[in-house]
Amino acid sequence: MSDGFGRTRRRFLAATGAVTASGLAGCTGLLGGNGGGEKPALADFRGSGPLVSDRPAPGGTSIEDLPDLEGELNVYLGGGEGGRYENLLELFNRYYDGFEATWSVQPSSQLAKQIEQENANDTVRAADVFWSVDAGSLAYVADVGATTQLSSEARSPVPDAFKTDQWVGVAGRARAIPYNTEQFAESDVPDDVATFATDDRFSGAMGWAPTYGAFHSFVTAMRLQRGEETTRQWLEDMVTQGVARYDNEFLVSESVANGEIGAGFANHYYAIRVLARRDDAPIELAFTKNDAGALVNVSGASVLGGSDRQDLADLFVRHLLSAEAQEFIATRGFAYPMISEVEPVGPLPTIDELEPPEIDLQELSNVQPTLEMLRDVGILS
Amino acid sequence: MATSERLERLKAAAVGDGDGAAGLGLALVAAAVAALVSLPLVVLFVRASNYGLGHLLELFTYSGSVTTLVNSLVLVFWVTLGCVLVGVPLAVLTVQTDLPGRRVWTIVAALPLVVPSYIGAFTFVSAFGPRGDLADALAPLGIERIPAIYGLHGTALVLILFTYPYVFLTTRAALLSFDGTLVEAARTLNHSRWEAFKRVTVPQILPGVTAGALLAALYALSDFGTPSIMRYQVFTQQIYVAQRSLGVPEGFPALLSLQLLGVVAVVLALESHVGGDTAAYISRGSRQPGRIELGTWKWPALAFCAAVAGLALAVPLGVLVLWLDQAGETIFTFEPEVAWNSVKVAVAAALAATLLALPVAGYSARSNSVVATVADRLTYVGYAVPGVVIGLALIFFSTEFVTSLYQTVPLLVFAYVVRFLPQAVGTVRSSVLQVDPKLTEAARTLGRSPTGAFREVTLPLIAPGVAAGAALVFLTTMKELPATLMLSPLGFETLVSYIWLVRGAGSYGAAAVPALVLVGVSALSMVVILAQERYNG
């Protein structure tokens, strides 16, 4: 990557931060009830500000062209981009008079286990839709037979890599290396994760969040791609490097911006959220090539087999892939949209510019060996 | 020991011959309550044994498991010691000395209990962490680095600051209720003030101190939020990760929990060894000894009180207020209904816990039987089981056996009751112990039935203690985190689940208002808890 591109991206990150602050302030007004009875328009789904207002109108199927949502729907919401998914659900509730979504937010993996438990007993059904922030949990729930097949209308907009017949991706989340621009130049950041574990420059300079689900997917991907031994060695080398441990990846990114650490392992949008708080923070993103460091995971949805509102649930999933919802995901959550007619914000590399490892996302549910390894190396316990 | 002899006589009087049938009835009810609150434990045990208890040994073979165990024990030790070192002097200062502004200091010293420890932890990280507010303030003075707040000392510091009030309150109660003339007697026997304190006061207040220390120790053992935020590896974190990670066998977290329960059992055993019989609460008189005059010690004493208040109240509240005007945080909207939900479940939990505590506490205060002791002790186990484990057990229980309870408010309230019943039992029991059994006896000779005597004589006398117990359950329920997250019905949001959500999203500004509301509402319950003391004093 050239320096010119780096500077552009840095300006973009800074601008996005400023935009987010004002855009979200507007959003609160809307959600706070000022616009109570009014039907949300595209402007409500989309973030605001100079960066976003230059965007073309999103392509794809508009909500207006979809059948109306009608009735009550229960959603298990795994995480959710720091509350943004809830805002999207609130927008749907406002859009339709006869529709009311209710949700429960918990970590995706926890909800997946909960659904497994519920599924084991036919009389317990709490939710109609499982909207998870990682493919591993979606696959897990599908594997235990708790989901039902999605309609072809719900599946067709999404590329093959990000769907099965049981679940579809709704938003893309790339692994990234947030780094502190006062401590590292862009050229200092290697394009493979292996170097971080062995190069002296990164001794005492790195941070990670080993209890975090996205991190488990990252290590699982490394295991699948590079094998057990290499992964274990990498983890041990990282520990030898004195990697700092955090509660979640937002904190990793924030500590990078604070200069507490020089770089870290985190999902791509956390750095942008840090900038939403402090737009002059010296933080930038790098992506590795062809390894776990550039894994693209998805947030996605499935319809639960025990639901007696499966048609409504399926239609709801189609709404998540509507032009408006995808625009929301791109401009408010800074995730990668799943339909080709909507662009990711600004000069974030597009999803096909990234070079993720070739891994079946379904296999990311195989976390147990990862956890054992982490525990073995002394990272988890 | 003279006290226990006196207690034996009192108990004998209380469960006298004529009350055999009533005693049996009470025993049955107490046993039933104990069985009810042990339910999650049974579920846990069943789960673990389905998984295979043979795996228990495997737990120790994981590298790091032993470290986790040692870490947990070290943390409990320092927190308990710290709570005693902070709580007992504060109690002595506010009860027995001429400390200026004793009333105010009493309230101030008790108030940190209303601040959830995880809120304390993240405000401390914000204030004292690297590049935190304190570091920012010191930077112009040329101070580059401040000592790291993370790790054992940070975790212990935060837990001490927000749990020492347990020791403070129980020690205070013991000091207030013990017979001051005993000290005067010792003094007339030419004991020095220190010796009188050691030989008379200490044995009298020891049960109060250990009761509080036990609560603090169990809290330290079961807390998840603080060690997690302060980056210190303990048991609860291991359980939490195992519980929510895919691919981990269902029984594994249960097995880990059993291991933790083993530690709890050791703590309980130690407590009953050190604490002796709580009966030393018994006191016939409440005459206060002459106040100790501090003289020039007044200043260090005041500085001590102010330092504790500064760290445990000014820091968290100050940081929360600072967060109030942080920009870029406004994605979340805070609705008052969330606070109302919290209050509703906390009131329900307080009422239910009090109702269940009455028979257990009443029975254990008046009987030495094995059933009484076991019932009393069993209620403590729920307190020591981390909320995340109780949540897990109750999800299993409700999906497997009583599906109509699944994802309902009653099940959530039940989880709170299991967690916090011992607080109600403890306060009610010490109140019952302070009622002279002769009064009940008199009512019985006047023809009242055992329940009639209880209602007309005992209950009015113990009412303030019962109210204080209920207030304590209310307060801790308001703050409870993991069980709330796991058992809240769909769409049912409370203050803590909201705070945890926005905090996880990094929106500290959005956490400020609900956190302040939580602290404010909890502070109201402190009024009830402290009012009970005035009655005692």
Side-chain angles (χ1 to χ4, degrees):
Chain A
M1 281 179 278
S2 74
D3 283 341
F5 183 76
R7 274 202 304 278
T8 318
R9 188 189 305 152
R10 187 164 178 195
R11 265 206 310 280
F12 151 68
L13 289 175
T16 319
V19 166
T20 318
S22 55
L24 296 183
C27 177
T28 310
L30 283 171
L31 297 173
N34 293 347
E38 291 195 18
K39 201 170 199 176
L42 177 62
D44 297 316
F45 285 93
R46 168 189 268 180
S48 56
L51 188 87
V52 175
S53 61
D54 285 345
R55 285 168 67 88
T61 310
S62 165
I63 295 182
E64 289 172 33
D65 301 329
L66 290 170
D68 287 0
L69 290 172
E70 190 145 8
E72 289 179 9
L73 192 76
N74 289 334
V75 180
Y76 273 167
L77 189 53
E81 314 272 347
R84 283 158 186 83
Y85 290 179
E86 292 185 79
N87 293 157
L88 183 55
L89 291 169
E90 282 163 3
L91 282 171
F92 284 141
N93 281 350
R94 273 181 47 210
Y95 194 92
Y96 294 111
D97 288 338
F99 175 72
E100 185 73 36
T102 312
W103 57 90
S104 161
V105 188
Q106 280 179 51
S108 291
S109 52
Q110 191 167 308
L111 285 172
K113 295 191 91 166
Q114 195 167 324
I115 291 167
E116 180 188 20
Q117 183 100 64
E118 292 172 9
N119 190 57
N121 188 315
D122 286 342
T123 56
V124 180
R125 286 289 175 262
D128 307 297
V129 170
F130 178 36
W131 183 359
S132 157
V133 293
D134 86 298
S137 306
L138 289 166
Y140 185 85
V141 169
D143 286 347
V144 299
T147 55
T148 187
Q149 187 165 336
L150 289 164
S151 68
S152 59
E153 289 96 332
R155 280 179 289 150
S156 61
V158 177
D160 285 346
F162 304 123
K163 71 179 175 196
T164 68
D165 61 351
Q166 302 290 313
W167 57 266
V168 285
V170 167
R173 314 149 68 79
R175 295 299 296 175
I177 314 291
Y179 65 95
N180 184 296
T181 52
E182 286 165 2
Q183 295 183 31
F184 291 111
E186 191 186 354
S187 55
D188 291 335
V189 186
D191 58 8
D192 64 308
V193 275
T195 309
F196 291 101
T198 50
D199 197 312
D200 285 345
R201 280 177 301 167
F202 301 108
S203 174
M206 301 294 295
W208 65 17
T211 61
Y212 203 54
F215 181 83
H216 297 163
S217 298
F218 160 71
V219 177
T220 306
M222 193 186 293
R223 262 183 45 236
L224 295 170
Q225 197 196 19
R226 300 267 190 260
E228 304 276 330
E229 270 322 297
T230 315
T231 307
R232 178 183 298 264
Q233 189 62 49
W234 185 84
L235 291 168
E236 281 170 357
D237 289 344
M238 281 308 302
V239 172
T240 311
Q241 290 280 49
V243 61
R245 180 198 165 96
Y246 294 88
D247 209 14
N248 63 51
E249 294 189 341
F250 174 77
L251 292 176
V252 170
S253 305
E254 192 174 58
S255 301
V256 168
N258 286 340
E260 193 181 327
I261 45 176
F265 301 100
N267 276 345
H268 79 272
Y269 45 83
Y270 288 110
I272 306 179
R273 268 195 235 160
V274 169
L275 286 162
R277 276 158 57 83
R278 307 202 320 267
D279 57 14
D280 60 343
I283 186 172
E284 203 168 315
L285 286 176
F287 296 87
T288 62
K289 290 188 168 71
N290 297 317
D291 66 16
L295 175 72
V296 178
N297 202 334
V298 291
S299 152
S302 56
V303 173
L304 297 178
S307 162
D308 47 14
R309 298 178 280 223
Q310 292 184 1
D311 290 343
L312 176 64
D314 192 81
L315 185 56
F316 171 78
V317 174
R318 290 171 65 192
H319 274 73
L320 294 179
L321 294 166
S322 67
E324 289 86 349
Q326 289 293 302
E327 182 72 2
F328 179 100
I329 274 159
T331 61
R332 290 200 192 274
F334 312 113
Y336 284 102
M338 280 286 123
I339 62 173
S340 56
E341 296 88 344
V342 176
E343 295 276 309
V345 271
L348 260 187
T350 62
I351 206 156
D352 34 301
E353 278 173 315
L354 295 176
E355 297 177 57
E358 283 187 18
I359 278 165
D360 181 359
L361 292 180
Q362 290 267 94
E363 292 186 49
L364 292 179
S365 66
N366 189 14
V367 186
Q368 171 68 7
T370 304
L371 293 176
E372 272 170 27
M373 188 183 286
L374 291 174
R375 214 173 280 125
D376 233 26
V377 180
I379 294 167
L380 268 191
S381 50
Chain B
M1 208 165 120
T3 326
S4 13
E5 277 165 29
R6 191 166 52 151
L7 176 80
E8 291 313 315
R9 284 206 312 276
L10 289 173
K11 277 187 176 169
V15 253
D17 297 336
D19 287 12
L24 182 67
L26 197 56
L28 286 176
V29 176
V33 170
L36 184 67
V37 298
S38 316
L39 184 79
L41 255 175
V42 175
V43 172
L44 200 62
F45 201 80
V46 169
R47 291 229 98 169
S49 51
N50 284 347
Y51 174 53
L53 288 173
H55 289 79
L56 205 52
L57 275 180
E58 269 176 36
L59 288 178
F60 291 98
T61 62
Y62 282 119
S63 82
S65 275
V66 177
T67 320
T68 308
L69 177 63
V70 172
N71 278 359
S72 295
L73 291 174
V74 169
L75 180 67
V76 169
F77 173 79
W78 285 113
V79 170
T80 313
L81 183 68
C83 287
V84 171
L85 290 180
V86 176
V88 174
L90 282 176
V92 171
L93 283 172
T94 54
V95 176
Q96 293 195 318
T97 72
D98 63 348
L99 182 80
R102 285 184 305 125
R103 276 259 159 252
V104 176
W105 286 120
T106 303
I107 296 164
V108 168
L111 271 181
L113 200 59
V114 309
V115 181
S117 60
Y118 51 89
I119 288 182
F122 60 74
T123 54
F124 262 68
V125 168
S126 173
F128 301 118
R131 300 295 192 102
D133 296 331
L134 179 68
D136 281 352
L138 294 178
L141 306 175
I143 297 170
E144 294 268 314
R145 277 189 172 274
I146 53 172
I149 186 81
Y150 297 117
L152 172 64
H153 52 280
T155 313
L157 175 71
V158 167
L159 282 171
I160 289 166
L161 286 173
F162 301 101
T163 50
Y164 83 80
Y166 283 120
V167 178
F168 170 73
L169 288 171
T170 52
T171 307
R172 223 184 113 77
L175 282 169
L176 284 171
S177 62
F178 103 88
D179 194 339
T181 50
L182 291 175
V183 178
E184 275 158 22
R187 296 279 284 144
T188 54
L189 292 173
N190 264 343
H191 285 311
S192 73
R193 180 151 274 156
W194 171 242
E195 226 169 313
F197 179 77
K198 208 169 61 182
R199 298 183 61 164
V200 180
T201 311
V202 170
Q204 285 284 312
I205 67 170
L206 193 59
V209 176
T210 46
L214 176 66
L215 293 179
L218 293 182
Y219 186 92
L221 205 50
S222 71
D223 190 32
F224 164 73
T226 310
S228 153
I229 291 165
M230 306 305 277
R231 300 186 212 155
Y232 183 66
Q233 304 293 297
V234 290
F235 249 117
T236 46
Q237 183 156 24
Q238 210 182 3
I239 294 170
Y240 187 75
V241 171
Q243 187 270 327
R244 67 180 210 170
S245 301
L246 300 176
V248 175
E250 279 298 332
F252 191 74
L255 209 52
L256 280 170
S257 308
L258 287 186
Q259 204 182 10
L260 175 56
L261 285 181
V263 180
V264 171
V266 172
V267 171
L268 287 175
L270 279 177
E271 187 268 346
S272 62
H273 185 70
V274 177
D277 205 317
T278 35
Y281 270 123
I282 274 218
S283 166
R284 312 301 290 275
S286 57
R287 290 185 45 201
Q288 292 297 302
R291 299 227 176 271
I292 301 167
E293 283 170 26
L294 286 172
T296 48
W297 284 101
K298 187 167 70 180
W299 301 111
L302 279 173
F304 175 66
C305 296
V308 173
L311 284 173
L313 289 176
V315 168
L317 294 179
V319 170
L320 288 178
V321 169
L322 278 181
W323 283 353
L324 273 180
D325 61 15
Q326 280 203 22
E329 303 282 1
T330 41
I331 187 165
F332 296 96
T333 45
F334 176 68
E335 285 161 18
E337 192 200 341
V338 169
W340 182 228
N341 282 345
S342 280
V343 171
K344 275 191 292 196
V345 289
V347 166
L351 288 178
T354 310
L355 222 58
L356 294 179
L358 281 171
V360 176
Y363 186 51
S364 90
R366 294 285 190 245
S367 163
N368 261 347
S369 74
V370 178
V371 180
T373 315
V374 170
D376 182 68
R377 289 283 125 171
L378 269 182
T379 61
Y380 271 88
V381 180
Y383 187 74
V385 180
V388 66
V389 175
I390 290 191
L392 189 72
L394 290 182
I395 285 177
F396 177 74
F397 174 73
S398 60
T399 49
E400 208 69 12
F401 302 110
V402 193
T403 50
S404 55
L405 277 178
Y406 185 64
Q407 291 224 343
T408 59
V409 170
L411 192 70
L412 178 64
V413 170
F414 178 65
Y416 293 139
V417 171
V418 171
R419 284 280 280 139
F420 304 127
L421 181 63
Q423 296 179 342
V425 171
T427 7
V428 174
R429 187 183 49 198
S430 57
S431 306
V432 172
L433 282 171
Q434 284 168 17
V435 175
D436 191 335
K438 285 204 181 92
L439 291 174
T440 345
E441 227 175 287
R444 295 280 286 126
T445 43
L446 290 172
R448 295 289 186 278
S449 69
T451 34
F454 176 78
R455 207 172 45 235
E456 288 171 42
V457 179
T458 316
L459 198 57
L461 285 170
I462 65 171
V466 173
L472 199 54
V473 175
F474 173 87
L475 169 64
T476 40
T477 301
M478 286 289 291
K479 300 191 296 177
E480 208 280 342
L481 178 69
T484 308
L485 293 179
M486 295 175 66
L487 296 171
S488 289
L490 259 166
F492 186 83
E493 212 168 19
T494 66
L495 285 170
V496 288
S497 61
Y498 182 86
I499 290 168
W500 197 249
L501 175 78
V502 297
R503 184 254 165 195
S507 294
Y508 298 104
V513 171
L516 286 169
V517 171
L518 176 57
V519 169
V521 175
S522 306
L524 292 179
S525 56
M526 201 48 101
V527 174
V528 182
I529 295 169
L530 291 173
Q532 128 88 353
E533 302 214 319
R534 220 163 297 143
Y535 163 85
N536 273 343

